[in-house]
Amino acid sequence: MLSTKMNKQLQRLLLPLKTSCLLLLLLVINSVANATDIQASMQVSPEQCVAMRQGQACYVSVQLSWQVTSPGNYCVYLSAATKALNCWENTTEGEFKKSFDSNINLEFSLRRQNDSLSVATAVVKMAWVHKKKGQPRKSWRIF
C-alpha cells in the first residue's frame, strides 16, 4: 500500500518533467526544420570552362546569381573554403562576378552567414580540348 502511494506521487512529480522534455524536443526539431525550409536557387555562367590540355589551368570570369524565399544574411563560398567570397545582408537575392583560374571544378555554395549548411550550390565544370593520353609506348615496332 505504501509503495502504490509512492508510485502515484512519483508519477505526479515526473509528469511536468516529461512534458518539459517533450516541449524542448519539439522546439529543437522545429528550429532544425526551419533552417532547412529555405527555398533557394543559384545560377552560374558559364557552366563550363575549357582549357587546351588536361591539367592546364582554365581562366574564366564567373557570373553568379542566387535567390531565396526568406530574407537573411547570406554568403557565397568556394568549395569547402572557410572564408566567404561575398556576403549580403537582409536580402533575398544577390549577384557576384569574379575571375578564376583553376584546373579542377569550381563548386560554389550559398550559406546563411555563420552557418555551414549549404542552401544552394552551383558548379563550373572543367573541360579540355586534348585529354592526357595514357602511358607512352615503350615497346619497339618492327613495322
Side-chain angles (χ1 to χ4, degrees):
M1 184 165 183
L2 184 62
S3 65
T4 308
K5 190 175 184 180
M6 286 180 66
N7 276 343
K8 287 183 180 180
Q9 286 179 344
L10 187 59
Q11 285 179 353
R12 274 190 237 133
L13 290 173
L14 288 177
L15 184 61
L17 181 62
K18 288 179 184 178
T19 306
S20 298
C21 287
L22 184 59
L23 287 174
L24 183 62
L25 182 62
L26 288 173
L27 181 65
V28 168
I29 290 171
N30 187 33
S31 66
V32 170
N34 285 341
T36 58
D37 278 351
I38 299 170
Q39 298 287 325
S41 65
M42 184 185 302
Q43 298 80 33
V44 65
S45 178
E47 294 179 354
Q48 190 177 55
C49 185
V50 181
M52 284 302 291
R53 299 212 179 273
Q54 186 173 2
Q56 281 185 329
C58 181
Y59 300 93
V60 62
S61 181
V62 174
Q63 183 171 351
L64 188 131
S65 62
W66 58 268
Q67 303 82 31
V68 293
T69 53
S70 57
N73 299 338
Y74 296 94
C75 296
V76 171
Y77 292 83
L78 183 59
S79 297
T82 56
K83 186 177 178 190
L85 294 172
N86 200 15
C87 291
W88 296 263
E89 290 184 9
N90 196 27
T91 188
T92 58
E93 60 185 25
E95 288 187 4
F96 176 72
K97 289 182 184 180
K98 186 170 178 161
S99 295
F100 295 93
D101 61 293
S102 179
N103 59 356
I104 60 171
N105 292 346
L106 297 170
E107 185 175 341
F108 299 94
S109 65
L110 178 67
R111 305 178 201 163
R112 280 194 155 181
Q113 199 169 18
N114 302 323
D115 191 359
S116 62
L117 183 65
S118 180
V119 295
T121 59
V123 178
V124 176
K125 293 184 179 181
M126 296 298 128
W128 300 275
V129 175
H130 303 288
K131 295 201 178 222
K132 280 186 180 175
K133 296 187 176 172
Q135 294 290 331
R137 291 191 176 153
K138 295 180 182 176
S139 62
W140 288 84
R141 291 188 183 173
I142 296 176
F143 299 101

